[in-house]
Amino acid sequence: MQAAAARARRLIASPAASGIQGVLSASHRGCAAAAELALLPHLENGCRASLSSPDHTRGFSSHLPRTLLSQTVTSHCRCKKSVCYHMARAHFSTDSSGIDQPKESAEELYQKMLKSVEAQTMPPNAWLWSMISSCSSEDDIKLLFQILQKLRIFRLSNLRINANFNDHLCMKVSEACARVGVLDYGLKVLWNHNVYGITPTIGSAHYLLQHAKEHNDTKLMEKIMQVLRRNSLPLQPGTADIVFSICYNTDRWDLLSKYAARFVQAGVKLRRTAFDVWMEFAAKVGDSQSIWNINSLRGKSIKHYTLTSGFACVKGSLLERRPENAAATIKLLHKHLPDQKKPFVKDELQKLVAEWPTEVIKRQKKDGRKAMEEALIEDIPKMISSMAKSGLDISVDLDKLTRQPEAA
């Protein structure tokens, strides 16, 4: 112990240690990290000079506590070790992440997985994920389903895994089918009993329905809804949003009425957006009874009106020749709408005057068009007048409310 202490004193007493006092004073001012780095070269030089300079030992040993020296040297060793460790990690982490790897085609990945299965080894999951993202044609999708079937058999026979692939992978398969446009294979994803190890989910159906919406494809929508029913997949509010939008965009009131009844029967809690589309379409076709039925159903789950649902009720009153009720509805709607939405009441009212009569009249039977036109031309000004009398004065251009030649 005494010999070790003597060696330490000789080391510190070297000429190279002449700046250590400044280093130590810096560490006391809160710069410990800088002090440790500054101390290192002094100590290294001191090792070589200590034997030839014994006279400095006594003059400096009284200024340096042993515990502080020990802590400083130990801290430097740890810091040096940490730097080496992080440098090693940085070296190995750049092997692949920093270099763009060439993307393999779906066929190449299929061949790799096929060879792995034939060699009685399970291929890495990353290959399957890469193949799903690489599919760009119908042939790629066919290869994807072939390898899924082979992997399913391999998992059952060799690994004794009865479970299907996870839901997220199954949704990605349906997304790939929709992306490529191979919808026949996409529908296979929705079947409960299949040979591909795929678990059908309503999320997978939404990918296919979204494709039908983008292409206004009601036939595909009907096929998907039929498969959902046969496989007892639970309908969701998001399903109704997509289906209602497709029916509205393709002007299929008959399909919307059919599937709306199915959603209601299944107990699906429709969203505000679905009710808006449903009620607006009912007003568009001039079905006042449907407007009231939908509004009653809406009121059970949604308290406040939107501009769309509120003006659908206004149109329902006009269809039944009740302009005063229509005016009262607009006033009530204007009162309860947020301040930032109140200016839009005028826009909706102008659309009601300029656009809606033409739209609703042309959808009526020929023998009833003239009577409806005369009723709307008479009742809409009465509604505007009743609004002004009740204190809600909104200026509207009634000149656009004119007799339509095709309705005569």
Side-chain angles (χ1 to χ4, degrees), residues 174-175 177-179 181-183 187 190 204-225 239 241-250 255 259:
S174 64
E175 182 184 11
C177 293
R179 182 181 70 247
V182 186
L183 287 311
L187 291 173
L190 304 180
S204 299
H206 286 176
Y207 281 116
L208 303 178
L209 284 171
Q210 195 64 38
H211 182 274
K213 178 180 177 180
E214 293 172 359
H215 295 81
N216 290 326
D217 192 342
T218 55
K219 291 184 178 180
L220 175 60
M221 180 195 72
E222 290 184 87
K223 288 181 180 179
I224 296 169
M225 295 299 291
T239 319
D241 286 341
I242 303 174
V243 170
F244 284 20
S245 295
I246 295 172
C247 295
Y248 185 87
N249 294 338
T250 56
L255 285 180
Y259 290 119

Side-chain angles (χ1 to χ4, degrees), residues 328-374:
T329 301
I330 294 176
K331 183 179 180 181
L332 188 64
L333 179 65
H334 186 272
K335 178 181 178 180
H336 292 287
L337 277 175
D339 291 340
Q340 64 269 23
K341 291 188 177 182
K342 287 183 179 180
F344 295 105
V345 172
K346 180 178 179 179
D347 297 335
E348 289 296 325
L349 191 57
Q350 189 62 59
K351 289 179 183 178
L352 183 149
V353 173
E355 301 174 10
W356 176 64
T358 302
E359 181 69 34
V360 71
I361 288 170
K362 73 179 183 180
R363 293 174 178 274
Q364 307 307 309
K365 295 179 180 180
K366 288 185 177 181
D367 55 354
R369 291 178 183 176
K370 186 175 181 179
M372 176 173 283
E373 181 185 34
E374 291 176 351

Side-chain angles (χ1 to χ4, degrees), residues 153-403:
I153 296 173
F154 183 82
R155 280 156 57 97
L156 282 170
S157 59
N158 292 58
L159 304 180
R160 300 295 189 268
I161 298 176
N162 296 321
N164 287 340
F165 296 106
N166 64 67
D167 293 350
H168 186 56
L169 184 140
C170 300
M171 290 175 64
K172 285 297 181 181
V173 171
S174 64
E175 182 184 11
C177 293
R179 182 181 70 247
V180 178
V182 186
L183 287 311
D184 290 338
Y185 278 89
L187 291 173
K188 294 181 179 181
V189 177
L190 304 180
W191 285 94
N192 281 324
H193 304 290
N194 59 77
V195 296
Y196 308 107
I198 295 176
T199 302
T201 64
I202 196 64
S204 299
H206 286 176
Y207 281 116
L208 303 178
L209 284 171
Q210 195 64 38
H211 182 274
K213 178 180 177 180
E214 293 172 359
H215 295 81
N216 290 326
D217 192 342
T218 55
K219 291 184 178 180
L220 175 60
M221 180 195 72
E222 290 184 87
K223 288 181 180 179
I224 296 169
M225 295 299 291
Q226 186 178 28
V227 172
L228 292 180
R229 186 168 192 172
R230 288 182 178 179
N231 290 272
S232 303
L233 287 177
L235 301 175
Q236 299 292 333
T239 319
D241 286 341
I242 303 174
V243 170
F244 284 20
S245 295
I246 295 172
C247 295
Y248 185 87
N249 294 338
T250 56
D251 200 22
R252 292 294 302 272
W253 171 249
D254 57 329
L255 285 180
L256 179 54
S257 300
K258 171 185 174 181
Y259 290 119
R262 180 173 162 187
F263 281 106
V264 172
Q265 186 178 7
V268 178
K269 187 177 180 180
L270 300 178
R271 295 172 179 163
R272 202 181 294 262
T273 51
F275 280 116
D276 282 355
V277 171
W278 194 4
M279 292 183 70
E280 184 178 6
F281 208 166
K284 190 176 179 180
V285 299
D287 190 343
S288 61
Q289 188 58 48
S290 292
I291 293 174
W292 307 129
N293 292 340
I294 301 166
N295 189 52
S296 177
L297 184 64
R298 183 202 61 80
K300 295 178 181 178
S301 57
I302 301 173
K303 182 178 180 181
H304 299 290
Y305 284 89
T306 63
L307 275 170
T308 303
S309 59
F311 268 88
C313 293
V314 171
K315 294 169 183 175
S317 295
L318 288 173
L319 289 170
E320 295 180 352
R321 305 214 62 179
R322 295 183 295 165
E324 293 80 10
N325 285 5
T329 301
I330 294 176
K331 183 179 180 181
L332 188 64
L333 179 65
H334 186 272
K335 178 181 178 180
H336 292 287
L337 277 175
D339 291 340
Q340 64 269 23
K341 291 188 177 182
K342 287 183 179 180
F344 295 105
V345 172
K346 180 178 179 179
D347 297 335
E348 289 296 325
L349 191 57
Q350 189 62 59
K351 289 179 183 178
L352 183 149
V353 173
E355 301 174 10
W356 176 64
T358 302
E359 181 69 34
V360 71
I361 288 170
K362 73 179 183 180
R363 293 174 178 274
Q364 307 307 309
K365 295 179 180 180
K366 288 185 177 181
D367 55 354
R369 291 178 183 176
K370 186 175 181 179
M372 176 173 283
E373 181 185 34
E374 291 176 351
L376 291 177
I377 290 176
E378 179 182 347
D379 291 342
I380 290 178
K382 287 182 179 180
M383 177 190 71
I384 302 298
S385 177
S386 181
M387 286 170 51
K389 290 179 181 178
S390 65
L392 182 61
D393 191 5
I394 299 178
S395 60
V396 179
D397 184 9
L398 292 175
D399 292 339
K400 295 184 178 181
L401 184 65
T402 57
R403 187 179 301 276

Side-chain angles (χ1 to χ4, degrees), residues 116-130:
S116 179
V117 170
E118 291 175 348
Q120 299 297 308
T121 58
M122 187 67 183
N125 291 335
W127 291 359
L128 182 57
W129 285 101
S130 297

